[in-house]
């Protein structure tokens, strides 16, 4: 099975168990909802319910909220817990992807994040995704430019609903951010503008699974 097929299969399975709208950091722009008080209150209630559920999932003792917590055992077990709960953000969806890859007997993966740019859990621009068929260097760093990644490497990013060759990921990511921006989807209560989200893929990348 090719890396790309692994990515596509994993994406379809995980998002089938963890709906893409279960993330508490995505919401519809308030002015696109009917302006009557009840509709607005319903929107706030739905968003709060999603936040409460994600918070309850992250209270699990295996939650790898920081790279130093991301042991292989913690990631796989937390992924199983998150997929059973059926909700989460990019951390939960990435761990669920790792769980699925393990269950499928595939171990050529890593979780990737952007260090030093609103580290996971500490800001509005953190993100984690799964790389398949691409290894980091001895320091846990990946090539900053996706064009330097292995041509057979693939990305599985369930949160953004993307599975593609790694070298195609920046274009797919920017297209997704543009689509969300024009459709009025907020990420952490802000539109995904170019300076905040679209250019995230150009930043340095590091293994979330290699000890820091």
């Amino acid at each position: 099975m090719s890396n790309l097929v692994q990515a596509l299969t994993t994406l379809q399975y995980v998002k089938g168990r963890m709906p893409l709208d279960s993330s508490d950091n995505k919401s519809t722009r308030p002015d696109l909802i009917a302006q009557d008080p009840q509709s607005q209150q319903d929107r706030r209630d739905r968003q709060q319910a999603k936040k409460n559920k994600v918070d309850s999932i992250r209270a699990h003792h295996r939650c790898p909220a920081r790279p130093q917590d991301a042991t292989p055992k913690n990631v796989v077990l937390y992924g199983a817990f998150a997929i059973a709960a059926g909700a989460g953000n990019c951390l939960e969806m990435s761990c669920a992807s790792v769980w699925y890859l393990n269950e499928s007997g595939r171990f050529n993966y890593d979780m990737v994040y952007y260090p030093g740019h609103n580290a996971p859990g500490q800001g509005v621009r953190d993100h984690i995704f799964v790389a398949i068929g691409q290894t980091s260097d001895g320091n846990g760093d990946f090539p900053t430019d996706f064009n330097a990644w292995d041509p057979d490497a693939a990305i599985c990013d369930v949160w953004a609903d993307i599975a593609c060759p790694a070298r195609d990921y920046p274009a797919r990511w920017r297209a997704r951010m543009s689509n969300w921006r024009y459709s009025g989807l907020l990420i952490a209560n802000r539109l995904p503008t170019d300076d905040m989200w679209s250019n995230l893929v150009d930043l340095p990348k590091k293994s979330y699974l290699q000890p820091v």
Side-chain angles (χ1 to χ4, degrees), residues 28-188:
T28 304
R29 222 171 64 197
D31 58 298
L32 298 181
I33 304 293
Q35 293 302 300
D36 62 280
Q38 187 60 54
S39 295
Q40 291 296 323
Q41 185 59 51
D42 288 347
R43 172 190 177 275
R44 289 190 292 269
D45 290 346
R46 287 193 299 270
Q47 202 61 27
Q48 186 61 49
K50 289 195 289 186
K51 183 181 186 305
N52 291 344
K53 185 163 188 177
V54 173
D55 286 348
S56 71
I57 294 169
R58 291 198 172 181
H60 193 278
H61 69 286
R62 292 286 187 184
C63 177
R66 304 168 300 168
Q68 53 264 46
D69 302 323
T71 65
K73 185 175 182 178
N74 278 354
V75 166
V76 171
L77 292 178
Y78 185 65
F81 178 74
I83 205 167
N89 295 334
C90 60
L91 173 63
E92 287 72 33
M93 292 177 175
S94 293
C95 290
S97 298
V98 166
W99 171 82
Y100 179 77
L101 287 164
N102 270 265
E103 289 293 295
S104 304
R106 310 292 177 179
F107 308 106
N108 60 334
Y109 59 80
D110 203 339
M111 286 167 58
V112 184
Y113 76 110
Y114 301 95
H117 300 276
N118 303 115
Q122 299 176 9
V124 298
R125 199 176 55 166
D126 59 317
H127 189 55
I128 303 172
F129 58 90
V130 174
I132 303 174
Q134 177 71 39
T135 58
S136 60
D137 65 16
N139 296 316
D141 296 313
F142 287 91
T144 297
D145 186 349
F146 277 103
N147 286 320
W149 285 44
D150 190 290
D152 293 326
I155 300 298
C156 179
D157 186 342
V158 179
W159 181 84
D161 196 15
I162 296 172
C164 66
R167 294 184 178 186
D168 294 346
Y169 183 59
R172 293 284 299 275
W173 171 268
R174 289 190 170 95
R176 179 70 68 222
M177 294 302 107
S178 178
N179 177 270
W180 286 356
R181 182 169 65 252
Y182 287 114
S183 64
L185 183 72
L186 305 178
I187 303 174

